[in-house]
Amino acid sequence: MAKKPVKITETVLRDAHQSLIATRMPTEEMLPIVDKMDQVGYHAVECWGGATFDAALRFLKEDPWDRLRKLRDGFKNTKLQMLFRGQNILGYNHYSDDVVEYFVQKSIANGIDIIRIFDCLNDIRNLETAVKAANKENGHAQIALSYTLGDAYTLDYWKDIAKKIEDMGADSLCIKDMSGLLTPYNAAELVAALKESTSLPIDLHTHCTSGVAPMTYLKAVENGCDIIDTAISPFSMGTSQPPTEVMVETFKGTDYDTGLDQNLLKEIADYFAPYRQECIDSGLMSTKVLGVNINTLLYQVPGGMLSNLVSQLDEMGAGDKLREVLEEVPRVRKDFGEPPLVTPSSQIVGTQAVLNVVMGERYKMVNQQAKDLLSGRYGQTVKPFNEEVQKNAIGDIEPITCRPADLLEPTLPKFEEEVKRWKQQDEDVLTYALFPTVAKDFFEYREAQQTKVDPSVADTENGSYPV
């Protein structure tokens, strides 16, 4: 067999800390190790997108665009990757095509090389605009399939959708196993099947939530998987990815040898280890996310969704009803067309399961997001909705069957007008478009900080600035 080194995408600067510490790693923790990481020879470093954008603004009072530019300046030899929620971009609703196109353009202009694009329903119509925009900007468009289990999700389903993705203009394909549901021999079978139907490079992304991820990677690579996502050891395992060093050692001396230097990886791990301890000591990294959670396999609940369910129930004073809610999740999922559970479908299904249990009556209360899903506003599910549940939720509203964004007028001019008061860079309009309230708070904070240290009011005699 010819040598086929497996490539490594490092997730510590995005998904690893999103999974373990709720996306709270500040840019200042990242920058000192960038030069060392740039020497490793990773296929890519995932460092942006997903929840990093919202969390940077909301909790860290950082401009996510500024973070990206600083990382781009530091990574001179390594491709930078982001996660992009299709027509949802990095938010939770569908945005008009002009906003999606502009966001892709600015992401690539500010330093992103690879855009991993997914849709929570695997409705590939919701990926078209982002893929075309990435192609136009000469970016690498990687389409991610949200992996899940269910009657409809056969090998033929995955092979068929992979072929469509290749025809759409994707540069690579990712199996996005957000819940850690993909077991080793199923991974072997899935990767081998995908290799039959597409010539695209295949990346596998999974989480250690259910405990099987390292073995899943082994069998996937043996069956043709080209790239795996890993996290440097201090931010690996639990709800994060398998450790980079462990997977490098696993393939050492084989035809799949990564060629990465363990001494260099150790230096990177040594850098992150004290920060991990700080996160544990402060309670930011909970021991709840570090072990194996078998509920993942039983209920198909991703780690992030599980923690959301716990906090929702605690706020309602119903923490003792977690098991009932977990048992309700698969039932709601079935009623809602059996979608994969990933943002935002995971929140929609999870919240409805909580309401069904806490209210003591199924679908007594249905929130707006669930109504939008049942009326087709997120796209098409792989199976039909439960007609009775749908009728109860949306009444006589006629569900839409077209691509949801076809119903949206261009909105960029409106956002440009609304953000005029705070705009300091082109990218501010996109920040505002996605998170208007959070963005406004951040822009006001930014202005206040700039006013504190304004060179125009400096005390020129002693070179100091007013406090």
Side-chain angles (χ1 to χ4, degrees):
M1 180 180 171
K3 284 190 179 297
K4 191 192 171 193
V6 64
K7 297 173 182 175
I8 301 282
T9 294
E10 173 61 60
T11 68
V12 68
L13 301 187
R14 205 285 296 179
D15 198 18
H17 75 97
Q18 180 174 320
S19 298
L20 295 180
I21 58 169
T23 334
R24 296 297 201 276
M25 188 186 293
T27 305
E28 65 187 31
E29 285 291 341
M30 303 175 182
L31 296 180
I33 197 62
V34 162
D35 183 57
K36 192 72 67 179
M37 290 179 70
D38 196 35
Q39 299 170 36
V40 171
Y42 293 119
H43 167 69
V45 168
E46 189 195 47
C47 63
W48 210 62
T52 62
F53 199 94
D54 184 6
L57 292 165
R58 192 185 301 264
F59 303 114
L60 303 176
K61 294 292 181 245
E62 286 188 20
D63 180 0
W65 297 100
D66 189 45
R67 173 184 294 185
L68 175 54
R69 288 189 286 264
K70 286 175 178 174
L71 291 172
R72 179 73 282 167
D73 286 345
F75 282 106
K76 301 189 178 356
N77 309 300
T78 309
K79 289 179 178 175
L80 299 185
Q81 180 173 306
M82 73 171 291
L83 182 67
F84 193 99
R85 298 185 190 124
Q87 208 70 31
N88 290 357
I89 309 180
L90 305 178
Y92 309 103
N93 307 299
H94 277 213
Y95 298 92
S96 56
D97 286 339
D98 59 337
V99 176
V100 174
E101 288 162 358
Y102 195 41
F103 203 102
V104 169
Q105 180 194 329
K106 283 299 183 183
S107 298
I108 292 171
N110 279 276
I112 289 296
D113 299 290
I114 302 169
I115 302 186
R116 176 178 290 172
I117 308 162
F118 79 99
D119 177 66
C120 70
L121 304 182
N122 285 335
D123 184 342
I124 61 175
R125 299 174 304 171
N126 294 334
L127 308 172
E128 289 168 2
T129 301
V131 171
K132 283 177 186 169
N135 290 340
K136 183 182 174 187
E137 301 299 325
N138 296 315
H140 179 112
Q142 180 182 90
I143 293 186
L145 297 175
S146 300
Y147 181 77
T148 190
L149 302 173
D151 296 342
Y153 299 97
T154 62
L155 281 181
D156 285 339
Y157 166 84
W158 297 117
K159 287 168 72 171
D160 178 58
I161 201 169
K163 188 71 182 75
K164 288 176 180 171
I165 281 167
E166 186 169 18
D167 293 343
M168 188 188 285
D171 297 297
S172 62
L173 166 67
C174 174
I175 304 163
K176 180 177 167 58
D177 178 25
M178 53 281 170
S179 304
L181 298 174
L182 188 57
T183 53
Y185 287 98
N186 285 341
E189 188 178 41
L190 177 59
V191 171
L194 291 176
K195 281 289 179 182
E196 288 174 13
S197 62
T198 176
S199 60
L200 294 176
I202 294 177
D203 189 331
L204 177 55
H205 172 93
T206 190
H207 292 249
C208 295
T209 321
S210 64
V212 300
M215 294 179 285
T216 296
Y217 276 167
L218 175 62
K219 298 308 291 183
V221 168
E222 288 177 349
N223 283 273
C225 180
D226 302 280
I227 309 156
I228 55 175
D229 290 11
T230 64
I232 202 73
S233 54
F235 278 83
S236 69
M237 303 297 283
T239 51
S240 179
Q241 281 73 53
T244 305
E245 306 96 307
V246 169
M247 298 319 302
V248 166
E249 197 64 25
T250 297
F251 297 115
K252 190 175 179 181
T254 72
D255 291 332
Y256 314 107
D257 196 326
T258 64
L260 302 191
D261 182 350
Q262 287 283 25
N263 292 317
L264 202 46
L265 294 174
K266 181 183 182 302
E267 290 182 54
I268 296 165
D270 287 347
Y271 170 81
F272 281 109
Y275 180 59
R276 169 195 163 96
Q277 193 57 51
E278 281 177 35
C279 293
I280 290 173
D281 291 345
S282 67
L284 189 55
M285 187 183 290
S286 165
T287 53
K288 290 179 183 175
V289 300
L290 298 178
V292 171
N293 193 325
I294 207 62
N295 285 331
T296 297
L297 291 176
L298 295 176
Y299 306 113
Q300 295 196 44
V301 175
M305 180 181 174
L306 185 66
S307 55
N308 281 343
L309 292 176
V310 170
S311 62
Q312 278 183 2
L313 288 169
D314 285 347
E315 282 171 19
M316 294 176 164
D320 59 329
K321 296 191 181 296
L322 179 61
R323 176 168 288 281
E324 287 177 65
V325 169
L326 288 173
E327 289 169 353
E328 177 67 1
V329 164
R331 293 192 284 265
V332 172
R333 180 175 174 251
K334 192 169 184 181
D335 290 339
F336 284 9
E338 222 166 79
L341 294 180
V342 63
T343 306
S345 56
S346 54
Q347 286 91 324
I348 297 170
V349 170
T351 299
Q352 190 59 55
V354 168
L355 290 172
N356 286 359
V357 169
V358 172
M359 301 296 292
E361 182 183 331
R362 301 188 79 223
Y363 304 109
K364 182 178 182 180
M365 182 187 292
V366 180
N367 71 11
Q368 189 57 49
Q369 277 192 309
K371 290 177 182 177
D372 287 346
L373 177 69
L374 291 165
S375 60
R377 294 194 174 277
Y378 284 93
Q380 187 174 8
T381 51
V382 68
K383 280 198 161 184
F385 301 125
N386 179 320
E387 287 184 10
E388 188 182 330
V389 170
Q390 185 185 36
K391 178 77 173 169
N392 172 60
I394 67 172
D396 296 325
I397 293 172
E398 186 69 28
I400 67 169
T401 55
C402 65
R403 183 183 76 111
D406 287 342
L407 302 175
L408 301 176
E409 295 291 327
T411 51
L412 209 47
K414 174 178 83 84
F415 291 131
E416 286 279 12
E417 181 62 30
E418 290 175 8
V419 83
K420 231 171 22 179
R421 151 82 177 76
W422 300 284
K423 186 176 174 183
Q424 295 184 11
Q425 58 180 349
D426 289 346
E427 291 80 3
D428 285 346
V429 68
L430 291 165
T431 303
Y432 178 82
L434 265 58
F435 304 105
T437 306
V438 176
K440 183 170 169 282
D441 289 345
F442 171 74
F443 295 152
E444 289 173 349
Y445 167 83
R446 181 175 66 184
E447 276 186 5
Q449 293 302 109
Q450 289 164 345
T451 306
K452 277 183 189 175
V453 187
D454 185 348
S456 66
V457 293
D459 180 346
T460 50
E461 285 188 15
N462 60 19
S464 64
Y465 294 94
V467 176

